[in-house]
Amino acid sequence: MEGHPAFGNELRRVREAAGLSLAELGKLIHYSKGYLSKIESGARPANLKLAWACDNALGTDGALAALVDLQPAKENPKDPKPFSGLPPDSVHFTGRAEELRRVISILRFERNTPVIPNIVVVSGMAGVGKTAFVTRVAYRIERSFPGGCLFLDLHGYSPTVPPVTPADALDRLLRRLGVPGEQIPDHVDDRAALYRDRLIGKNMIIVLDNAVSADQVRPLLPATPDCRVLITSRDRLPSLDDACHLTLDTLPTAEATALFRSVAGQDAPDREEMIGKIVEACGRLPLAVRIIAARCRGGSTRKLADLSARVADRHSRLDELDDGERSVTSAFTVSHEGLPARPRRVFALLGLHPAADWDAYAVAALADLSVPEAERDLDRLLRANLVIEDSAGRYHFHDLVGLHARRLARSVIPEQEQRAAVQRLLVFSLATLVQADRVITPHRYLPPSAIVDKPPATPALAGYQQALAWAETERTNLVALCRAAVELNLDAFCWEIAYLLRGYFFLTKQWDDWIQTHTLAIAAARHSGNRHAEARTLNNLGLALLERGSFDAAEQHYQSALEIFRELGDEFGESNALANHAAVLYYRGDHGAALLENKNALAFYERMGMLRNVAITLRSIALVEVELARFTEAIEHLHRALRVFTELGLHLDAAMAENCLGETYHRLGDLKNARHWHLQGLEHSQSCGSSYEEARAHGQLGNLAADQGDRATATHHWERALRHYAALQAPEAEKIRRRLSAGNREIPVAN
C-alpha cells in the first residue's frame, strides 16, 4: 500500500529537529518503532489520528495533519466505494454550529480534543433533528474518508417498519461492501466477524440512524479506528461507554425562527411577532417548526395569523402539528410505546401531574412506587429523551411532550385510577409541607388534619434552610395542587395546603400566590361545608390583603372570620381574628380601639399559655404604644416579645421585633440604639431568608444616615432596600424611590 512520501519526509525532519529517535517518539504517541519507520519510508499511509498525535508530541501545530488532508490515500480501482445510501443534505438545515464543530473535530481526530473515540452517539427527543444533523456532518467530512460512507436506517422508531435486526443490518452492510450474497454466513456472529474483517484498512464513515438500543448497533461497530461511526437514537445508549455522547436540544429561538422562515419563505418584517409566537408554541422543536412552516409556505399574513391562533390553543396544538405524512404525536407515541411496561405507565401518569416539574419523591407518590423504583423509571424516561433533567434531580417535560402525556393519560388511565394517583400526590405533598411548616414556623397552631391516608416516603427536611429551599422549589407546584384538589372535589387537601403555606408566604411575601391559594381554599371549605376551615382561611387571607394595603377587604375577611368563630364557640380563632383586626385599626389610625382588641386577644393567649401568640401580640401592642407616645411601655413589651421569639427559635419574628425596637428608638431620637437594633434586625432577616425585613432594616438604616447628614450611607441602604421591595412588588418601594430622588437633590444635615 502506497503511503504519503511528503508526510514521511516531514515527520523525519521535525522528529530529528526535536532530537527524538523513532523509539522515543513511539513511546510518546503509543505507536511501535517499526510502524513509524514504515510511515517515514512511505511504505505505510498515515492517517489523521496518527498525524495529530505526532503534531501534539512535536508541537507542529497541525502541520503534519494538513499534509494528510492534502494527500488523501489513493483509491484502489479494484475496490470501489460502496453505495452509501446517505440521504440528501437538507437545504433548510439551520444552526447547530457548535455541535457540528464538536462532532467533526472528534471524528477527524483533530488536536485539543480531550478524548478521541471513533464512535459518536447523537441522541435527543423525537423530532429534534438528529438525522438531519448527522447527515450534515457526513457531507462535511466525507472528503476525509476515501473509503466512502455507509448509511443505514435501523428503523428503531418507525410506526410501520419493525426495527432492523443485527443479522439483517449486517447482511445489507456486507452486500454494500461488495460481498456476494452466497458468501454471507448464516449466523450473526459470523457475519459480524466478516464485516469487521472487510473494514480493516478502510477509512470510512458509517452512519447508523434510528438505533433503538445498544444491542442493535454493537455487532455493527468496526474493530479498526480508521472507520468512524455516527449513531442516532432517541435513547442515550449509555452502555456504549467507548463512544462520545452528544444530546441535541431544541433550537434556540433565533435558529428556530430562521428554520421557519427558510421552510415557509416568510421574510416580511411585519410578521416577526406572529412567527415568534408560532415557533414558541412549537417548543422550538425542528419537526414541529417544519410541519407548521410548510403549511404557511407562500401564505398570506391572514393565514399566518390563523395558524398562530390555532397553535396557541393547547387543546388543539398537537392536532395542528400533523401534515398527513409527518406527525409530532406519532413520533412521541412510538417513543412511548417502545418503553418497558412500568416506565410507560409512569410516563402516562406524569401527564396527570398538575405542576411543571417534579422529583423522584413526587413521582413515587403519583405512581405508587418506592423512591428507588421511581428513580429507575425516571432514568429510563431520561434515556429515551421523554423527560428533561434539571439541576438538583428535578425533571420536566418539553411542552409538546407534556401535551402528549396529558392527552395519553386521559385516554389510557381509567378515571378512578387518575383520581387515586392525584390523591396520592396530594397526600405526599401535604405530609412534606407539614414537615416544612414545622421548621419554618415552629410552635404554630396546627388544626387536626382531615387526611387519613398514610403518606408515602417524603424527603427529610431537618434544617431550616433545607425546609425553606424545599418550599421555594415546590411553591408553584403546591399552588397548582390546590387548584387540582378543587377540580377533583378533594376540598380538604386544598384548604389544608393553603393553611400550611401561610407561614412560608408570611416570610417571603409571595402575596399573589398567598391570595390565590387562600381564595381557592375558601371556595373549597364552603363547598365541603367546613366552617372551621372557612374561618381560618378567611383570617389568613385577611393578613395578605392587609399587607398589600387592601384595608377594606382585609377588615371584611376578619369580620367574617370573627362571626364564624363566635358562632362555633372557637375562642382561639376569635382571639386570632381580633388580633388581626387590630392591625387594620392601627393602620387606619384608630389606636385606642387597636390597643383594646390586642389586649383582649393577649388575655386569652396568656390564659392558655400560648407563648408564641403572646409574643406576637405584645409586638403588635408595642406598635400602637409608639403611636400613642408610650415609648417606655413599647420598649418593655418589645424586649419581652424578643426574649420569647429567641427562646422559641422564631427567627423571622425576632427580626421583626428588632426592627420595631430600632424604629421606636429612632422616634425617641436615640440614634445609637436605633442603629444597633436595625443592624440586629438586618442580620436576623438575612439568616431566616426574609427579604422584606431585610429591606425594612436597610430602609431605616438609610433614614438614620440621612438624619446624620451621611448622604453616601443613606443612598447605600436605600438602594438595597429598594432592590428587595421592588422584587417583592411591595408598596414600600415607591416611598424608598421618593427618598432616593430627594436624597439625590438634598439630604438635610442634622444639627
Side-chain angles (χ1 to χ4, degrees), residues 581-602:
H581 183 251
V584 177
L585 297 172
Y586 165 78
Y587 283 113
R588 284 182 169 162
D590 192 350
H591 299 128
L595 191 60
L596 179 62
E597 289 196 352
N598 268 318
K599 287 185 174 179
N600 286 337
L602 179 65

Side-chain angles (χ1 to χ4, degrees), residues 356-570:
D357 65 351
W358 355 270
D359 62 9
Y361 285 95
V363 175
L366 185 71
D368 199 18
L369 300 171
S370 69
V371 174
E373 288 173 328
E375 288 173 336
R376 287 193 290 272
D377 289 344
L378 282 168
D379 185 60
R380 188 66 186 83
L381 294 174
L382 184 66
R383 281 176 47 195
N385 285 289
L386 285 168
V387 299
I388 301 166
E389 185 177 16
D390 294 334
S391 59
R394 298 191 68 80
Y395 303 82
H396 68 276
F397 283 131
H398 178 276
D399 286 351
L400 296 180
V401 177
L403 289 175
H404 176 67
R406 283 186 277 280
R407 180 178 289 187
L408 184 70
R410 301 292 189 262
S411 64
V412 303
I413 301 174
E415 189 173 336
Q416 187 174 357
E417 188 178 342
Q418 292 180 35
R419 182 182 177 87
V422 176
Q423 184 162 332
R424 287 193 300 269
L425 181 60
L426 286 164
V427 171
F428 156 76
S429 300
L430 191 62
T432 314
L433 186 54
V434 168
Q435 289 186 60
D437 185 56
R438 284 174 176 164
V439 177
I440 295 170
T441 320
H443 308 286
R444 181 186 177 211
Y445 170 74
L446 293 180
S449 174
I451 312 304
V452 296
D453 304 55
K454 182 180 178 181
T458 58
L461 304 176
Y464 181 86
Q465 294 301 330
Q466 192 175 7
L468 192 60
W470 180 87
E472 179 57 35
T473 300
E474 296 290 344
R475 173 173 56 89
T476 55
N477 295 352
L478 292 165
V479 173
L481 284 167
C482 276
R483 191 178 303 107
V486 170
E487 292 170 356
L488 291 171
N489 293 324
L490 296 169
D491 298 319
F493 286 102
C494 178
W495 66 258
E496 287 200 28
I497 288 174
Y499 183 88
L500 290 164
L501 279 170
R502 184 269 193 195
Y504 167 75
F505 286 149
F506 182 70
L507 169 69
T508 60
K509 308 304 181 190
Q510 301 283 352
W511 289 297
D512 289 344
D513 287 342
W514 187 347
I515 292 169
Q516 183 181 354
T517 54
H518 282 59
T519 301
L520 287 168
I522 289 170
R526 287 171 177 167
H527 180 263
S528 61
N530 191 318
R531 299 283 279 167
H532 276 103
E534 181 184 354
R536 279 191 287 266
T537 309
L538 283 165
N539 209 21
N540 286 335
L541 180 54
L543 180 56
L545 295 168
L546 178 69
E547 292 197 345
R548 291 307 298 265
S550 301
F551 300 145
D552 290 344
E555 182 171 38
Q556 182 180 349
H557 281 74
Y558 289 144
Q559 292 288 9
S560 298
L562 186 61
E563 290 174 10
I564 297 173
F565 283 133
R566 284 174 173 166
E567 173 191 321
L568 297 171
D570 185 339

